[in-house]
Amino acid sequence: MAGMATHRKSGKGRAFPKGRQLQDGALAEVSDLLENQTVKRDRLIEYLHLIQDRFGGLSAAHIRALAEVMALSEAEIFEVASFYAHFDLLKDGEAPPPFTLRVCESLSCEMAGASALFAELEVRHPEMRVRRAPCMGRCEVAPVVAVGHHHIGQADAKSVQAAIGKPLVLPDYEAFEAYREDGGYRVLEACRAGAHSPDEMQEMLLQSGLRGMGGAGFPSGRKWSFVRAEAGPRFMAVNADEGEPGTFKDRYYLEREPHAMLEGMLIAAWAVAAEKIYIYLRDEYPEIHRILSIELQALENAGLVAPDYIELRRGAGAYICGEESAMIESLEGKRGLPRLRPPYVAQAGIFGRPTLVHNVETLHWISKIARGGADIFKSHEKNGRSGLRSYSVSGRVRYPGVKLLPAGSTILDIIKASGGMAEGHEFYAYQPGGPSSGLLPARLDQVPLDFDTLQEYGSFIGSAAVVVLSDQDSLRDAALNMLRFFAAESCGQCTPCRVGCEKAVRIMEDKWDRPLLEDLCEAMAEASICGLGQAAPNPILTVLRYFPEAV
Ligand SMILES: Cc1cc2nc3c(=O)[nH]c(=O)nc-3n(C[C@H](O)[C@H](O)[C@H](O)COP(=O)(O)O)c2cc1C
Ligand code: SF4
């Protein structure tokens, strides 16, 4: 029933005769929240957010009421809600948790003193809930603390205290009018008016050499051709989950020029004739959620997109939902469990339909290339490689941040672009592309950090999340930090990954038993369904290979 929540009466005809008693008050509250919405199964995670935002947690009574409204079983809702770290499930009669401080525990934050800050905050704020949490995508200002919805960079006890109760502040970004005045959306309009064909734009992408910036590096033009080869209807999903620790380039672009991504998205959607677009944005980026909500409305007001053509969705704290098939499960309102392939998402993605999935930065470049031609990307050459990379740089450098450099840049180029090493630190090791890429020694300083250049070193560039480590950092601790992350984020679907990550953590906390770790790594790499389990051994194997003295 369009325009309002569909309510099913309790009692006769209920979809689930067993379970907790429906409470009229909770049902009225949930119904009020969903008023003016067409209740859809795939929007379950959005509804859970609505309830939690309003009531501070997910009570059993509200879950029961939501089950009623959605004609689902309580168990189904509970199963989904409990999968995501950001949902607080409350037992009967339990009060919502107190105000929460989340201290980032990723490698860059740890190196910047997050553990000590966590301990201090726990002592200073006994009235609050102080938690450790995975990477918040702001590593250039480590250590980071989330104070409710706020994220405080270079945090200390004082700045955390000062942020409590403050409203969200949006960064100064290029809004619709400014982008439009600067020639924005002209290429899109030309495409739609028939001045360019999808084949032509696809060819331009192939010529540019653009590859997926989400980590897998699949040539973007080829991806379009695969999706276009499938019979419609087709969908599109924008991957704005940016969960790989150390990565913050997507946030960087969205906080500055969101319309570059949005126009790239609309050009790509036009090329594959997508019926609808979903943007899956990580929950750690509330400012960007606000920016995108405003700017999507501006696109609608300008008549560039039809109402409801684009749906903005909020993730809920699950790294695995960055993996494209898990993201699609989440977009369908389910737990983020990666799917077995084939079929690939280009063949059977959202609701089983062919789906084009692109990372935010890939789309950013698509609009730039569509406007400026293949050469604006391709002409950047270095060390035999062409193209550009947005390296997210953090750790022991003087000026961390996103560094846009030729794709063939080496770690020395990146350190130089970051102002050199931080005072008092000597370059010792680096993580080239998130924890999935492991750790390389400083002596490998002539390798271009691009797709396909790091395999022989047991690594890969992934999302280009570079963390620079110094003589003062422990490689053993760094690798353990990475494996703890994988153990916490494994979806648990396959045994080698679930058990392997946990077991590896236990061994690494104790004495590194090389034969045992190597066996474990082999099983994980070979028998895991998705990239998480397949790449999780990399920190262990690279430390064993390059830094045997560290363990
Ligand atoms: C464990 C795992 C996590 C991932 N996380 C992300 C992510 O946060 N953002 C992203 O764009 N891609 C991520 N990817 C890659 C996506 O599966 C997919 O390749 C990408 O979104 C495709 O877009 P692209 O071709 O434009 O890069 C992840 C992959 C794996 C295996
Ligand atoms: S490899 Fe790990 S994260 Fe991936 S599907 Fe298997 S258990 Fe889940």
Side-chain angles (χ1 to χ4, degrees), residues 319-320 323 336-339 341 486 489-498 501 524 527-534:
Y319 162 70
I320 195 57
E323 193 283 332
L337 303 183
R339 295 176 183 171
R341 273 146 290 195
F486 290 129
E489 297 296 329
S490 165
C491 80
Q493 190 176 192
C494 40
T495 317
C497 170
R498 185 187 66 244
C501 288
M524 287 162 73
S528 295
I529 291 179
C530 88
L532 188 153
Q534 289 157 5

Side-chain angles (χ1 to χ4, degrees), residues 66 74 95 102 105 110 135 172 183 204 213 246 267 292 296 303 309 370 467 478 482-483 548:
L66 185 61
E74 268 175 90
R102 288 191 167 82
E105 61 183 356
E110 272 308 322
C135 185
D172 193 15
M204 196 194 288
M213 298 298 191
I267 292 171
L292 288 178
L296 290 175
Y309 180 59
V467 181
M482 296 171 179
L483 260 294

Side-chain angles (χ1 to χ4, degrees), residues 54-103:
R54 175 75 182 77
F55 299 104
L58 299 172
S59 70
H62 283 137
I63 286 190
R64 171 69 185 87
L66 185 61
E68 184 73 11
V69 170
M70 295 187 73
L72 292 174
S73 73
E74 268 175 90
E76 219 171 332
I77 296 187
F78 181 83
E79 194 178 52
V80 172
S82 59
F83 181 83
Y84 294 92
H86 287 189
F87 291 131
D88 284 310
L89 288 155
L90 310 175
K91 297 201 186 82
D92 269 335
E94 192 186 350
F99 191 80
T100 304
L101 303 176
R102 288 191 167 82
V103 183

Side-chain angles (χ1 to χ4, degrees), residues 361-379:
E361 192 200 347
T362 312
L363 295 168
H364 175 91
W365 288 115
I366 286 177
S367 73
K368 303 261 171 188
I369 292 165
R371 209 199 282 198
D375 263 3
I376 64 140
F377 192 79
K378 189 189 173 180
S379 62

Side-chain angles (χ1 to χ4, degrees), residues 83-150:
F83 181 83
Y84 294 92
H86 287 189
F87 291 131
D88 284 310
L89 288 155
L90 310 175
K91 297 201 186 82
D92 269 335
E94 192 186 350
F99 191 80
T100 304
L101 303 176
R102 288 191 167 82
V103 183
C104 179
E105 61 183 356
S106 76
L107 181 58
S108 312
C109 283
E110 272 308 322
M111 285 159 62
S115 282
L117 180 58
F118 175 80
E120 186 181 353
L121 291 173
E122 268 198 317
V123 172
R124 276 189 182 232
H125 294 287
E127 78 289 7
M128 292 186 189
R129 187 171 64 153
V130 186
R131 287 265 169 95
R132 304 305 312 258
C135 185
M136 297 170 189
R138 292 165 171 84
C139 325
E140 80 278 31
V141 286
V144 178
V145 176
V147 182
H149 287 304
H150 288 280

